[in-house]
Amino acid sequence: MVSIEDLILVPLYLFVIIGLARLIKSNNINQHPEYKYFVKGIWFKLIGVSAFISIYLFYYGGGDTITYFKGARALGNLIMQDFSKGFAVLFNTNSYENSLSSFNSKTGIPPWHYFANKNTFLICRLSAPLYILGSKSFLITSFLTSLFSYIGIWKFYRLLNILYPGHSKIFAYLVLFMPSLIFWGGGVMKDSYMLGATCWITYSFFHVLISRKKTFWNVCFLVLNIVMILNCKPYILISLIPGFVIWVNYNSLKNIKNSLVRVLVFPAIVLVFSGSGILLFNSLSGSMGVYGSLEGAIKKAQITQDDLLREWHYGANNYKLDRIDGSISGLLRSAPLATFTALFRPLPWEIGSPTMVVSAVENTLLLFFVLYSLFRIGPFRFFKITFNDPFLVYCLIFSLIFAFGVGIAGTNFGALVRYKIPLMPFFFSFIYIVRKKLLLK
């Protein structure tokens, strides 16, 4: 997968990437001081994806990122060979040309089991233009994918600095330099795209419905990222919608200064935005596939749980939860342990491979600070601070719902450390902000 030509291309592309990054930094740093971390964040991202590639090539000897790249390579070659066929496959049209028969020995054939699953092959579709832009290099395509993810991560970092100015250094450590996000959030993988999309959606949502600034472009990017998530991991959107509804409700109430008026209009605001949330979910449910209904979501969780128990594919480092029996009561019984598992595990004594060491250290530190905040300052004050800030409520709601979904379906720590990364910038930032506010009281 890596040739001499790839190694020659690396310094050329690095020169262009870092040059553009420095230009962006110089154009923004006077107005937004947090841009002093922009170039550093890119360097960390590129180092992380280099480590990611090395692990998959030399430790695992292959893996999903290689397979995704093969699909992207075949599609990229098809686009350059026959644009009509390439366009049909790239945009997943209803054309007869959107089929495996469009590929040939010169383009390469994408892995059939990836091509047959539209959610999985989306990553190949998204990566094909990057493959072309990256001179057909696996290394450069991986670099560009990590930078695509970085855009969304940077947007979330900017949002934190807008809402809580004066903490750019800590936020940089929590979002831009977090080892797990740097490592697992790079490379040609679902995790890279979904992490970036989740962060970017939050930034765009804030500007469209909360601050109501720069709405045109943020509406465009909000829709694009929603479409991306819907066609890859719809359960992420399911986790986001309740937090969005609560965030808008809270924000609307906080903007009403008169306490009496606030009490009087509260039921109407809740009704309007809750109804809007239900309407939004119903309108999107048809695009969510199995996640469009509770029964479908439970069935999908059962399938995922069974799949992750295949030790020959995922390894034997499993964790034990009650098997999903298809009932709501069964899910509720497992909810506390499943949520805790996704948020705080693996712990040091559960490390099963070198790639889990960093995650275990992060989880241990996070657990320590959560317990310290709850017991040293008190749960009542902790949650009082949380529920007085709409953004913190949003972060908490999303983190808990997403953690429950990932924790209940997963059974393997190796997969869990990847699946959980979309919640990490939200939950880590939430804990830091609450703790900072408590100390200022």
Side-chain angles (χ1 to χ4, degrees):
M1 297 301 294
V2 179
S3 64
I4 298 298
E5 289 78 9
D6 290 324
L7 299 178
I8 294 173
L9 286 171
V10 167
L12 297 177
Y13 274 83
L14 283 179
F15 178 80
V16 174
I17 291 169
I18 300 303
L20 290 174
R22 287 176 175 170
L23 180 62
I24 293 172
K25 173 185 173 181
S26 63
N27 288 338
N28 289 276
I29 195 167
N30 290 333
Q31 188 176 1
H32 307 292
E34 61 270 19
Y35 268 86
K36 64 184 177 181
Y37 296 108
F38 185 74
V39 178
K40 291 180 182 178
I42 288 179
W43 272 118
F44 272 84
K45 197 70 173 173
L46 294 175
I47 292 171
V49 74
S50 300
F52 177 84
I53 293 170
S54 299
I55 289 291
Y56 269 81
L57 286 178
F58 305 117
Y59 180 74
Y60 291 136
D64 290 344
T65 188
I66 308 298
T67 311
Y68 281 124
F69 175 74
K70 289 178 179 178
R73 179 176 61 190
L75 178 52
N77 291 338
L78 180 62
I79 292 170
M80 292 184 287
Q81 182 187 94
D82 189 326
F83 183 76
S84 175
K85 291 180 178 179
F87 181 89
V89 177
L90 180 66
F91 290 98
N92 195 28
T93 69
N94 292 323
S95 168
Y96 70 93
E97 293 181 324
N98 179 21
S99 67
L100 274 177
S101 61
S102 291
F103 297 89
N104 53 62
S105 58
K106 291 184 178 180
T107 63
I109 310 297
W112 69 268
H113 56 294
Y114 276 35
F115 186 83
N117 186 322
K118 70 173 186 177
N119 291 1
T120 299
F121 198 68
L122 173 68
I123 304 307
C124 302
R125 292 188 170 99
L126 293 172
S127 303
L130 302 181
Y131 165 80
I132 297 172
L133 188 62
S135 302
K136 304 182 179 181
S137 163
F138 172 60
L139 286 177
I140 305 303
T141 303
S142 298
F143 284 179
L144 297 180
T145 304
S146 70
L147 293 178
F148 184 90
S149 176
Y150 182 75
I151 295 173
I153 296 169
W154 177 260
K155 292 292 185 181
F156 183 72
Y157 172 71
R158 284 276 296 114
L159 176 59
L160 290 173
N161 283 278
I162 291 171
L163 295 174
Y164 310 99
H167 305 282
S168 61
K169 184 176 182 179
I170 298 299
F171 288 143
Y173 284 116
L174 295 177
V175 177
L176 303 181
F177 307 146
M178 179 71 70
S180 287
L181 300 182
I182 292 170
F183 183 80
W184 294 113
V188 186
M189 297 283 281
K190 285 183 179 181
D191 312 290
S192 304
Y193 288 103
M194 293 301 99
L195 171 62
T198 305
C199 290
W200 202 338
I201 279 178
T202 302
Y203 174 86
S204 296
F205 178 87
F206 169 79
H207 281 295
V208 172
L209 290 171
I210 306 300
S211 71
R212 296 182 174 88
K213 296 178 181 178
K214 306 176 183 177
T215 54
F216 175 77
W217 285 112
N218 280 293
V219 166
C220 293
F221 289 122
L222 181 63
V223 172
L224 286 173
N225 282 289
I226 286 175
V227 170
M228 190 188 305
I229 289 178
L230 272 177
N231 286 280
C232 189
K233 292 190 175 184
Y235 63 84
I236 295 179
L237 195 60
I238 295 174
S239 303
L240 286 168
I241 289 176
F244 283 151
V245 173
I246 293 172
W247 192 1
V248 173
N249 270 312
Y250 262 73
N251 188 72
S252 300
L253 287 172
K254 285 179 73 70
N255 288 334
I256 300 174
K257 305 303 180 183
N258 188 292
S259 300
L260 178 60
V261 175
R262 188 185 305 168
V263 171
L264 292 175
V265 302
F266 174 74
I269 291 176
V270 172
L271 182 63
V272 168
F273 285 109
S274 298
S276 300
I278 294 172
L279 183 64
L280 174 63
F281 180 81
N282 288 336
S283 64
L284 293 174
S285 61
S287 305
M288 290 183 179
V290 295
Y291 296 101
S293 66
L294 180 61
E295 295 79 8
I298 294 174
K299 182 64 177 177
K300 178 63 176 178
Q302 287 178 304
I303 294 172
T304 303
Q305 189 180 68
D306 291 337
D307 178 60
L308 291 175
L309 286 171
R310 293 183 298 157
E311 295 185 1
W312 62 269
H313 186 78
Y314 294 99
N317 196 25
N318 298 322
Y319 58 86
K320 294 186 180 298
L321 290 177
D322 291 338
R323 296 297 298 276
I324 299 173
D325 59 8
S327 68
I328 296 177
S329 61
L331 290 178
L332 293 177
R333 284 196 305 270
S334 299
L337 181 56
T339 305
F340 177 87
T341 296
L343 291 176
F344 302 114
R345 297 171 70 186
L347 293 167
W349 55 88
E350 296 172 321
I351 295 173
S353 68
T355 57
M356 293 170 57
V357 173
V358 172
S359 181
V361 172
E362 292 171 347
N363 293 338
T364 302
L365 292 174
L366 176 63
L367 181 58
F368 170 78
F369 282 112
V370 170
L371 293 177
Y372 179 82
S373 299
L374 287 172
F375 291 106
R376 177 71 174 80
I377 305 168
F380 177 78
R381 292 181 62 202
F382 183 90
F383 287 106
K384 182 180 179 182
I385 291 292
T386 299
F387 289 105
N388 280 332
D389 187 324
F391 178 73
L392 293 181
V393 174
Y394 163 75
C395 287
L396 179 61
I397 294 297
F398 166 67
S399 297
L400 293 179
I401 295 176
F402 185 82
F404 166 67
V406 171
I408 197 70
T411 55
N412 182 277
F413 283 125
L416 180 66
V417 295
R418 290 192 293 111
Y419 293 167
K420 67 186 284 186
I421 63 169
L423 73 82
M424 293 181 66
F426 294 86
F427 195 65
F428 273 80
S429 300
F430 160 75
I431 294 300
Y432 169 75
I433 295 166
V434 172
R435 170 129 181 86
K436 197 67 180 177
K437 286 191 170 189
L438 286 167
L439 292 175
L440 293 175
K441 288 291 184 178

